[in-house]
C-alpha cells in the first residue's frame, strides 16, 4: 500500500504547479485553470489524510470543495466571457481599471 | 333621485379625463367634461323641481369616534340654500365648460384643463351639499386644490416651446409669475383654513356634533354654550370665510389669481368658489344669529373690503384685474348683507353676481382671445365695431353691475343697501359710495375697451358660436335675473327671498314705502353718476388716470405691507438658517473629506493586478504556515 507521504508529496507538487501558474500566466482562463489545480491538490491531501485516519469527515469536505469549484467555474467563466466581449482581452494585467 | 349623482357625474368626468386623457383627441375631452357637468345640471334641476322639504341622505360612516360611539357619517343635505348653490354651480359651470371648448382650443394640456374643471365642480358640489362641517371642509380643500392647479395652469408660460429666444424667455418669466400666483392663493387660503378648523374644533367641543341638520334642530338650545364661546366660533369661521372669499385682510391672492385661464377666473374666482365664504356664513346662520358681535365683524369686514376693492379697481390697466378687484368688492357687499343677518339679500346678490360677473369675465376672455393675449386696456378701444356681439353682452354686464334698473344687479344691490340703511347707517353710506365707485370703474372699463378708437396692433374679430352662445345665455340671465326677486314696494313678492326663507331666516323690511323709494333713487343715482363720470372723463381722451392713482394702482399698498411685515422677517430668518445650515453642512463635509484623505493613503495597495494579489496571498500563507509549523515543532530552540 502506497504510504500516505507519497500522496502528500504529489499533492504538494500539484499545488506548487498551480501556484506557479497563478503567478505567471497572464490569461484569466489559465489563471483560473491553475486555481482549479490548487483546489484539487488540497482535495487530494484531504482524501489521503482521511484514509490514514480512517475518518470520513475530510472526504465530506472534498465534496463541498468540488461543489464550490463547480459553481466558481460557472460564474467565473461567465464573467470572463463578459469581460472579453467588452474589452477584447482576458489579460489580467490589462484589467486593472478598478484599482484604488 | 339620489343626491350623490350630483357630484358623481363630474367626478366620473374627472377620472376619465385624467386617467385616459390621451385617448381623447381634439375637442372630445372638452365635450366629455361639458356633458358631465350638464348631466349634473339636469339632476340639480330635477331635484330642485321635486324638492318638497330638506332631504338628508347618509352614504357611509367615517371618522370613528370610539369614546362616544357615534361615528361621523358622510351625508348629503339638500335644502333650498344648497339647491340654489347647486343650480348656480352646475348651470354656470356648464356654460363655462362649453365656452372653454373653444377658448382653450390649441392648448397643449387641453384635456387636462377639463379634468381639473370637472374636479373643481365635483368638489364644489360636495362643499355645498355636505351635511357636516368636516365633509364641507373636504370640498373646501378640494376647490382650493382645483383653484391652485388652475391658477398655475400655465406654469411654464404659454410659449415655453417656442424656438425664438426672447419669446421663450418672456414666457418663462410669465410661468414663474403664474406659479407664484398659484402658491400665493394656496398659502393664503391655508391661513383661512386654520380658522375654519379651529371653529370646527370649538363647535365639536361645545355641542358634540358637527352635523348641520342636528345643530339646526337644537335651535335656541345652542345658546347654552355661552355667548363668548359662540362669538369665538363665529369669528373662527369668519377667518375661514375671509380666506376663501378674498376679503380683508386675506384679499391679495384673488387679484393675482387672474394668472389662470379666463374661464377659470369666471367660474372659480368670480361665480362659485369665492362665494363659499358667504355660503359658509349663511349655512351657519343659526350660530351667527346668536352672535351679534361676530356678525358685526362680518358686516364691517364686508363693508371695508367692498370699499378697498372698489378703490383698487379704479386705476388698474389689466382688463381682468379690474374685474378681479370688482369681484373682491362685490363679495364685500355679500359679506355686509349676511353680517347684517339679511341672508336672503346676500344670497340674491350672490346669484346675480354669478350671472353678471361670469358674463363680464367671459366677455373679457373673448376680447383677450381676439387681441392675441393682449390684456392691457390701453391697447384696446373701439372694439364695439369689430366685436358687436361681445360688446352688446358686455354692456348688459356693465349695466347689471352698476345697478341700473331692470338689470339684475339693481335689485340685489338695492336690497342689500336697504337692509344696511335699516340697521347700520355708516355701512349704508360706505355701500352707497362703493356703488358710485363701482359704476365709475366699470364705466372706465367699458369706455376703454369698447369705445373710442382702437389703439392696439392686432386684428380683432368676432368669436365663434361656441364662445358666443354661453355669453348670450349669461347676458340674458344678467338682464332678467333680478325679476326673480322683485321687492314689495315695486309690486313684487320677493319670490326668491320667500323661497329661500325655508332655509335661512327671512327679514321683512319695515321701512315706509317712501323711504324705500328714496333709497332706490339714491342707489340708481349713484350708478348713473358713476357711469356718467366715466363717460365724461373717457369720452375724449382714452387714458386718463383718476384720483388716488398710485394708491389705487398698488391696491393701497397691501401687498407691500405684507412684504414688509411677514415676508422680509421670514426671509431674514431663512437667510440665517441657511447660513447655519451651510455651516453645519460644511463641518460634516469637512469631516467626510478628512476621513476620505486617510482612506486614500491605503489605496496604493490596490494595484488591481490579480497576480500581485496572488503573490501577497502566497507570502501571507507561507508566514502563517511557517508560524504554526514552528509552534508545532516546539520552537526554534
Amino acid at each position: 500500500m502506497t504510504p500516505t507521504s507519497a500522496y502528500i508529496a504529489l499533492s504538494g507538487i500539484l499545488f506548487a504547479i498551480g501556484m506557479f501558474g497563478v503567478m505567471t500566466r497572464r490569461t484569466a482562463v489559465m489563471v483560473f485553470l491553475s486555481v482549479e489545480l490548487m483546489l484539487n491538490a488540497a482535495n487530494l491531501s484531504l482524501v489521503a489524510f482521511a484514509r490514514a485516519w480512517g475518518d470520513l469527515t475530510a472526504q465530506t469536505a472534498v465534496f463541498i470543495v468540488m461543489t464550490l469549484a463547480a459553481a466558481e467555474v460557472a460564474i467565473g467563466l461567465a464573467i470572463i466571457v463578459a469581460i472579453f466581449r467588452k474589452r477584447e482581452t482576458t489579460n489580467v494585467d490589462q484589467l486593472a481599471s478598478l484599482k484604488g | 333621485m339620489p343626491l350623490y349623482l350630483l357630484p358623481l357625474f363630474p367626478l366620473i368626468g374627472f377620472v376619465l379625463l385624467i386617467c385616459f386623457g390621451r385617448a381623447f383627441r381634439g375637442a372630445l375631452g372638452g365635450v366629455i367634461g361639458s356633458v358631465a357637468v350638464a348631466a349634473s345640471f339636469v339632476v340639480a334641476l330635477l331635484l330642485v323641481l321635486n324638492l318638497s322639504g330638506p332631504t338628508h341622505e347618509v352614504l357611509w360612516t367615517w371618522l370613528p369616534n370610539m369614546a362616544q360611539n357615534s361615528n361621523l357619517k358622510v351625508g348629503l343635505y339638500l335644502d333650498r340654500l344648497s339647491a340654489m348653490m347647486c343650480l348656480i354651480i352646475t348651470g354656470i359651470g356648464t356654460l363655462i365648460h362649453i365656452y372653454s371648448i373653444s377658448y382653450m382650443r390649441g392648448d397643449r394640456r387641453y384635456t387636462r384643463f377639463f379634468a381639473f374643471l370637472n374636479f373643481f365642480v365635483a368638489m364644489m358640489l360636495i362643499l355645498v351639499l355636505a351635511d357636516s362641517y368636516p365633509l364641507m371642509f373636504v370640498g373646501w380643500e378640494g376647490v382650493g386644490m382645483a383653484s391652485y392647479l388652475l391658477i398655475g395652469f400655465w406654469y411654464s408660460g404659454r410659449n415655453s416651446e417656442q424656438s425664438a429666444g426672447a419669446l421663450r424667455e418672456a414666457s418663462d418669466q410669465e410661468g414663474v409669475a403664474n406659479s407664484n400666483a398659484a402658491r400665493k392663493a394656496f398659502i393664503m387660503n391655508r391661513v383661512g383654513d386654520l380658522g375654519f378648523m379651529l371653529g370646527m374644533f370649538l363647535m365639536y367641543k361645545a355641542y358634540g356634533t358637527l352635523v348641520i341638520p342636528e345643530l339646526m334642530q337644537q335651535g335656541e338650545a345652542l345658546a347654552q354654550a355661552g355667548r363668548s364661546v359662540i362669538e369665538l366660533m363665529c369669528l373662527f369661521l369668519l377667518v375661514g370665510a375671509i380666506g376663501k372669499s378674498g376679503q380683508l385682510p386675506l384679499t391679495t391672492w384673488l387679484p393675482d389669481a387672474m394668472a389662470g385661464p379666463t374661464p377659470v377666473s369666471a367660474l372659480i374666482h368670480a361665480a362659485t368658489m369665492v362665494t363659499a365664504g358667504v355660503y359658509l356664513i349663511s349655512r351657519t346662520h343659526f350660530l351667527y344669529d346668536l352672535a351679534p358681535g361676530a356678525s358685526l365683524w362680518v358686516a364691517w369686514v364686508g363693508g371695508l373690503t367692498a370699499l378697498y376693492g372698489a378703490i383698487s379697481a379704479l386705476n388698474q390697466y389689466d382688463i381682468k384685474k379690474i374685474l378681479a378687484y370688482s369681484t373682491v368688492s362685490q363679495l364685500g357687499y355679500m359679506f355686509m348683507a349676511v353680517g347684517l343677518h339679511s341672508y336672503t339679500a346676500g344670497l340674491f346678490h350672490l346669484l346675480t353676481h354669478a350671472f353678471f360677473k361670469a358674463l363680464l369675465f367671459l366677455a373679457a376672455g373673448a376680447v383677450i382671445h381676439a387681441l392675441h393675449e393682449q390684456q392691457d386696456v390701453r391697447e384696446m378701444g373701439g372694439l364695439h365695431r369689430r366685436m358687436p356681439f361681445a360688446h352688446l353682452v358686455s354692456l348688459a354686464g356693465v349695466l347689471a353691475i352698476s345697478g341700473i334698473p331692470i338689470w339684475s344687479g339693481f335689485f340685489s344691490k338695492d336690497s342689500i343697501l336697504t337692509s344696511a340703511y335699516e340697521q347700520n347707517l355708516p355701512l349704508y353710506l360706505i355701500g352707497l359710495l362703493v356703488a358710485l365707485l363701482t359704476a365709475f370703474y366699470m364705466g372706465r372699463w367699458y369706455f376703454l375697451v369698447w369705445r373710442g378708437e382702437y389703439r392696439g396692433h392686432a386684428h380683432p374679430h368676432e368669436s365663434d358660436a361656441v364662445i358666443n352662445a354661453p355669453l348670450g345665455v349669461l347676458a340674458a340671465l344678467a338682464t332678467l335675473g333680478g325679476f326673480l326677486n322683485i321687492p314689495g314696494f315695486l309690486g313684487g313678492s320677493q319670490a326668491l327671498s320667500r323661497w329661500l326663507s325655508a332655509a335661512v331666516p327671512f327679514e321683512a323690511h319695515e321701512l315706509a314705502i317712501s323711504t324705500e323709494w328714496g333709497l332706490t333713487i339714491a342707489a340708481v343715482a349713484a350708478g348713473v353718476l358713476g357711469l356718467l363720470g366715466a363717460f365724461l372723463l373717457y369720452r375724449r381722451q382714452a387714458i386718463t388716470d383718476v384720483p388716488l392713482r398710485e394708491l389705487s394702482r398698488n391696491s393701497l399698498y397691501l401687498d407691500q405691507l405684507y412684504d414688509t411685515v411677514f415676508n422680509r422677517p421670514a426671509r431674514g430668518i431663512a437667510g440665517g438658517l441657511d447660513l447655519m445650515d451651510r455651516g453645519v453642512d460644511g463641518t460634516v463635509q469637512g469631516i467626510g473629506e478628512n476621513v476620505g484623505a486617510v482612506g486614500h493613503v491605503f489605496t496604493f495597495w490596490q494595484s488591481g493586478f490579480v497576480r500581485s494579489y496572488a503573490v501577497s496571498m502566497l507570502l501571507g500563507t507561507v508566514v502563517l504556515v511557517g508560524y504554526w509549523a514552528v509552534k508545532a515543532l516546539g520552537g526554534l530552540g
Side-chain angles (χ1 to χ4, degrees):
Chain A
M1 192 170 97
T2 329
T4 310
S5 57
Y7 292 106
I8 302 300
L10 178 62
S11 167
I13 292 166
L14 279 176
F15 191 88
I17 293 172
M19 190 81 230
F20 183 77
V22 167
M23 286 190 291
T24 53
R25 306 311 291 250
R26 290 207 172 86
T27 320
V29 178
M30 293 312 285
V31 174
F32 221 60
L33 215 66
S34 308
V35 171
E36 289 302 310
L37 204 58
M38 286 159 73
L39 283 173
N40 281 314
N43 278 349
L44 181 60
S45 48
L46 279 171
V47 172
F49 285 131
R51 200 193 62 163
W53 289 99
D55 184 354
L56 286 176
T57 315
Q59 294 212 21
T60 320
V62 170
F63 285 110
I64 294 174
V65 171
M66 284 164 72
T67 318
L68 281 178
E72 179 207 326
V73 168
I75 291 177
L77 280 177
I79 292 175
I80 289 169
V81 170
I83 287 176
F84 185 77
R85 282 205 185 135
K86 194 101 184 141
R87 305 282 294 262
E88 297 277 315
T89 178
T90 56
N91 186 330
V92 289
D93 286 349
Q94 290 175 10
L95 298 176
S97 55
L98 282 180
K99 65 174 180 281
Chain B
M1 193 171 288
L3 293 180
Y4 64 78
L5 283 178
L6 270 172
L8 187 67
F9 283 122
L11 215 52
I12 291 174
F14 164 68
V15 171
L16 268 181
L17 293 176
I18 203 92
C19 295
F20 311 106
R22 280 164 204 279
F24 307 119
R25 300 243 168 258
L28 189 59
V31 173
I32 290 175
S34 309
V35 167
V37 181
S40 272
F41 178 63
V42 172
V43 173
L45 213 55
L46 291 174
L47 279 170
V48 172
L49 289 178
N50 297 324
L51 187 70
S52 48
T55 320
H56 191 186
E57 194 176 273
V58 176
L59 298 177
W60 68 84
T61 58
W62 67 317
L63 293 186
N65 181 348
M66 313 272 186
Q68 298 185 2
N69 197 23
S70 62
N71 298 339
L72 188 56
K73 295 177 178 63
V74 169
L76 301 178
Y77 182 70
L78 189 78
D79 61 356
R80 289 182 176 175
L81 173 57
S82 45
M84 187 188 94
M85 293 299 288
C86 284
L87 281 180
I88 294 177
I89 294 158
T90 54
I92 295 192
T94 306
L95 292 175
I96 290 171
H97 272 73
I98 292 172
Y99 175 94
S100 310
I101 291 177
S102 171
Y103 188 83
M104 296 303 286
R105 183 174 294 148
D107 196 277
R108 267 184 302 132
R109 296 159 71 235
Y110 184 81
T111 315
R112 182 62 53 98
F113 178 80
F114 282 93
F116 290 163
L117 272 191
N118 270 0
F119 176 71
F120 168 77
V121 172
M123 283 299 149
M124 191 70 202
L125 286 169
I126 288 176
L127 194 165
V128 297
L129 284 171
D131 75 331
S132 64
Y133 287 99
L135 187 60
M136 191 193 282
F137 194 66
V138 170
W140 188 271
E141 292 302 303
V143 293
M145 184 72 204
S147 162
Y148 166 78
L149 289 172
L150 287 165
I151 294 171
F153 187 71
W154 285 317
Y155 58 82
S156 60
R158 268 172 281 193
N159 298 311
S160 57
E161 289 188 350
Q162 292 282 328
S163 49
L167 196 61
R168 201 176 56 223
E169 200 166 303
S171 168
D172 286 349
Q173 278 172 6
E174 188 198 344
V176 171
N178 290 348
S179 310
N180 280 340
R183 274 204 292 264
K184 190 173 182 182
F186 198 76
I187 291 167
M188 291 195 102
N189 266 298
R190 294 291 79 68
V191 179
D193 292 342
L194 180 68
F196 193 149
M197 283 199 275
L198 289 174
M200 274 199 289
F201 296 155
L202 200 57
M203 211 185 288
Y204 190 74
K205 186 103 175 111
Y207 303 127
T209 178
L210 287 169
V211 180
I212 295 164
E214 285 177 19
L215 284 166
M216 277 198 286
Q217 275 161 18
Q218 292 189 32
E220 293 293 317
L222 288 170
Q224 71 189 11
R227 166 91 192 273
S228 55
V229 177
I230 297 178
E231 294 273 6
L232 197 58
M233 266 180 232
C234 290
L235 284 176
F236 279 145
L237 290 181
L238 171 63
V239 172
I242 282 172
K244 203 49 96 207
S245 295
Q247 300 291 291
L248 285 175
L250 296 177
T251 191
T252 57
W253 70 268
L254 188 49
D256 283 22
M258 296 303 128
T262 306
V264 173
S265 308
L267 177 61
I268 300 184
H269 303 120
T272 54
M273 180 186 87
V274 289
T275 59
V278 182
Y279 173 76
L280 173 66
I281 293 174
S282 306
R283 182 93 282 180
T284 322
H285 68 84
F286 48 87
L287 283 179
Y288 280 92
D289 287 343
L290 300 171
S295 296
L296 200 61
W297 270 93
V298 176
W300 272 101
V301 163
L304 293 178
T305 309
L307 190 59
Y308 166 83
I311 290 175
S312 302
L314 286 178
N315 275 310
Q316 300 294 327
Y317 291 143
D318 188 315
I319 185 171
K320 279 169 74 183
K321 277 245 169 102
I322 299 173
L323 298 176
Y325 279 111
S326 162
T327 303
V328 171
S329 171
Q330 298 298 311
L331 286 167
Y333 264 125
M334 299 173 210
F335 268 66
M336 194 160 94
V338 294
L340 295 170
H341 294 173
S342 318
Y343 300 106
T344 54
L347 291 168
F348 180 36
H349 196 57
L350 192 160
L351 176 73
T352 59
H353 176 258
F355 294 154
F356 61 70
K357 192 51 71 63
L359 168 65
L360 286 168
F361 265 118
L362 293 188
V367 170
I368 294 168
H369 219 48
L371 300 184
H372 302 292
E373 316 304 331
Q374 179 58 259
Q375 302 202 9
D376 195 327
V377 287
R378 287 171 295 186
E379 300 283 319
M380 296 175 187
L383 294 179
H384 70 288
R385 267 176 247 117
R386 327 228 179 173
M387 305 174 69
F389 183 78
H391 164 249
L392 208 65
V393 296
S394 302
L395 187 61
V398 170
L399 292 174
I401 194 174
S402 307
I404 304 300
I406 90 134
W407 276 274
S408 59
F410 159 72
F411 294 97
S412 56
K413 202 176 284 186
D414 201 48
S415 78
I416 291 178
L417 288 175
T418 306
S419 49
Y421 177 81
E422 211 172 10
Q423 299 178 52
N424 196 324
L425 200 59
L427 277 176
Y428 168 72
L429 293 176
I430 290 179
L432 202 59
L433 176 63
V434 172
L436 177 73
L437 291 174
T438 306
F440 179 73
Y441 67 69
M442 283 318 295
R444 173 178 179 263
W445 183 87
Y446 172 74
F447 287 112
L448 278 177
V449 175
W450 302 104
R451 291 286 161 176
E453 287 304 313
Y454 181 54
R455 298 178 292 275
H457 310 289
H459 300 284
H461 51 87
E462 192 76 270
S463 311
D464 57 19
V466 184
I467 283 186
N468 280 343
L471 281 175
V473 176
L474 281 171
L477 288 171
T479 307
L480 304 173
F483 293 108
L484 286 171
N485 202 22
I486 302 171
F489 73 101
L490 289 177
S493 61
Q494 291 188 279
L496 182 76
S497 294
R498 283 192 198 286
W499 187 74
L500 277 174
S501 66
V504 291
F506 172 60
E507 281 220 340
H509 300 304
E510 288 163 2
L511 292 169
I513 288 184
S514 58
T515 323
E516 293 221 29
W517 271 108
L519 291 173
T520 305
I521 288 166
V524 173
V528 172
L529 223 62
L531 286 179
L532 204 65
F535 173 66
L536 292 175
L537 266 173
Y538 296 107
R539 185 185 38 165
R540 299 246 171 268
Q541 66 222 83
I543 314 147
T544 343
D545 294 312
V546 294
L548 306 170
R549 197 164 74 96
E550 289 305 314
L551 192 68
S552 154
R553 187 163 314 139
N554 293 306
S555 39
L556 293 124
Y557 298 102
L558 200 61
D559 259 322
Q560 284 83 341
L561 179 74
Y562 288 164
D563 192 57
T564 320
V565 177
F566 298 113
N567 296 0
R568 208 164 294 166
R571 272 200 295 272
I573 293 172
L577 288 176
D578 180 59
L579 211 65
M580 207 162 87
D581 209 34
R582 275 167 212 280
V584 172
D585 207 42
T587 315
V588 172
Q589 185 80 26
I591 293 172
E593 271 169 15
N594 286 329
V595 172
V598 175
H600 206 72
V601 171
F602 295 98
T603 58
F604 77 94
W605 278 353
Q606 309 295 327
S607 62
F609 294 112
V610 178
R611 291 179 301 134
S612 73
Y613 293 165
V615 171
S616 45
M617 237 166 82
L618 176 68
L619 290 178
T621 315
V622 167
V623 170
L624 268 178
V625 170
Y627 171 76
W628 284 109
V630 168
K631 203 168 174 187
L633 294 172
L636 292 170

